[in-house]
Amino acid sequence: MKILSKILILFLAIFLYSSCQKEVVKKVDFSNYNDDDPQTNTELDAWLKTTFLDEYNIDVVYRYNRYYHDAERNVTPIYVDKVKPAMTAVLESYILPYRKVAGETFIKRYVPKEWVLFGSPSLATDGTGVAGTAAAGRRVTLYSLNTQSPNFGVLVIHHEFTHILNQLVAIPTDFESISKADYNADWAKIPADTAKKYGFVTSYAMGKYTEDYAEVAAHLLVKGQAWYDNYASGSSTLGKTKLKQKEANVVNYFTTGLKVDFRALQKEVQEYMKRTAPTDNSLSIRPYVSSLYKTVTMNLSNAYYTKYGTSSAFSSAYSALRTGLAASNRTLNSISVRFDASTQATIRVNYTSASGTFDADFTFSYTYDKSTGDLKLTKADQAGTTGNYQNANNIAGAFNSSLLSYFSNKVFTASWLNANVDPVDYNNLGAFYEKDNATNYWYGTLGQTL
């Protein structure tokens, strides 16, 4: 028995020694198997650190943590491959435009230091949801990033940053009074058309004046001036007035209160949007020609023609008209293309003679494709024989040999002016480039009324 016991003990000792040896030599790095390990230093983490933490002291939280959302809401994490596109949009649509316009000190001081990313919406039990939140001027949380394009969050980003700016410099007290009687905590039940009628850019803006303010600022920056003006024009008379009052309040707030050139900032954000969403027709001038923009006025004596130049073909036609008028002691002031109706246009020549200043109207028909921006003007029978039409008859020879010849048998494509335009001119100049010959074009100041 003693001998057997000794044999068993020896066998057990060998087994244990052997087992211990296996444990010693077996070494597994579990971080290779755990993508959610906060200590994992991936290529993405390195990019986030270099781009945001080192440069702006911004921490980007994309690994799921339930403490970053309300306990009563179900929120899912963002897909890893969605993180870099989302934060690239944050950088290029928001941080860099503000940095360029407001300065490095401004953006590094005021940019939120924590950005939290989630993949799904943050939905309440009543079915309403939020696309983003801002907290205490420090944290911005973005939702729905798994199913939306990176640019989906741009509007939210500018909305939330406006809230943060409002915490630093208070919203002017007169803003709330513009729509004070119309704010409604039950905004989710209000149709978009109703909100528009009452002078709000979204139903959400009707919730309270702080949301209204952020919505106006964000839509002006991200959707652009043409979109905003077109939206306002489609509202009621009172609604349009309120929308334009709100715009003026926001622009003044940025320019005077924050010392940030709002129009310059608007240009930078719009350049980003046009560059990254070239198929978004709402960012183009095309949907708005002839409906929102009723006139294009050209006067080559204006300073912006010196700044931005013009095509030699149009300059030659304009100069030929000026020379022809001078031969009868008339001075050319300007010409304008006027979209009178859906198919009828007028080219108006404004000139001065010894008897005064006059308009001469030449009647055209036109076709215009809002999707492509293609415009073709064709001379039609004059719409009248007296007044401006009689003035046109008096200068018909000069007009026919210059502008009529220039516009005939050509298709021009509508565009914003393809030049590095100053912010003050950015939303005001519409251009028309000859199809398949972009060296020939005409452009001028856009007008919304005839």
Side-chain angles (χ1 to χ4, degrees), residues 365-384:
S365 64
Y366 76 93
T367 59
Y368 182 68
D369 188 327
K370 287 184 178 293
S371 62
T372 65
D374 289 349
L375 170 70
K376 184 174 183 180
L377 292 158
T378 303
K379 186 68 181 76
D381 293 338
Q382 289 287 81

Side-chain angles (χ1 to χ4, degrees), residues 269-285:
V269 176
Q270 282 295 283
E271 286 295 304
Y272 165 82
M273 295 301 296
K274 291 172 186 176
R275 186 171 64 250
T276 58
T279 60
D280 185 350
N281 217 26
S282 67
L283 302 173
S284 168
I285 194 177

Side-chain angles (χ1 to χ4, degrees), residues 46-181:
W47 178 78
L48 292 172
K49 179 180 182 299
T50 302
T51 307
F52 296 98
L53 187 61
D54 294 347
E55 184 67 16
Y56 300 100
N57 196 28
I58 291 174
D59 186 26
V60 180
V61 179
Y62 68 91
R63 293 181 173 90
Y64 179 77
N65 187 326
R66 70 182 184 86
Y67 294 107
Y68 281 105
H69 66 84
D70 292 339
E72 69 273 13
R73 293 173 180 257
N74 291 317
V75 182
T76 61
I78 184 173
Y79 297 141
V80 174
D81 63 350
K82 299 289 187 180
V83 175
K84 188 170 184 178
M87 289 310 299
T88 297
V90 170
L91 178 68
E92 296 182 0
S93 73
Y94 154 61
I95 294 177
L96 294 182
Y98 266 99
R99 182 169 181 166
K100 181 176 180 178
V101 175
E104 182 176 337
T105 300
F106 180 95
I107 193 62
K108 287 190 173 182
R109 178 181 298 170
Y110 297 129
V111 64
K113 301 307 179 187
E114 191 172 53
W115 291 72
V116 182
L117 311 180
F118 285 110
S120 69
S122 176
L123 295 173
T125 54
D126 63 359
T128 61
V130 292
T133 58
R138 169 177 170 75
R139 178 190 299 163
V140 169
T141 304
L142 301 177
Y143 300 92
S144 301
L145 296 175
N146 283 346
T147 57
Q148 300 290 344
S149 70
N151 276 353
F152 164 78
V154 175
L155 196 66
V156 180
I157 291 163
H158 284 280
H159 175 108
E160 298 304 335
F161 189 59
T162 301
H163 282 317
I164 289 171
L165 293 175
N166 294 160
Q167 294 166 11
L168 301 170
V169 178
I171 296 173
T173 55
D174 58 338
F175 180 87
E176 185 178 4
S177 64
I178 297 172
S179 292
K180 190 171 184 177

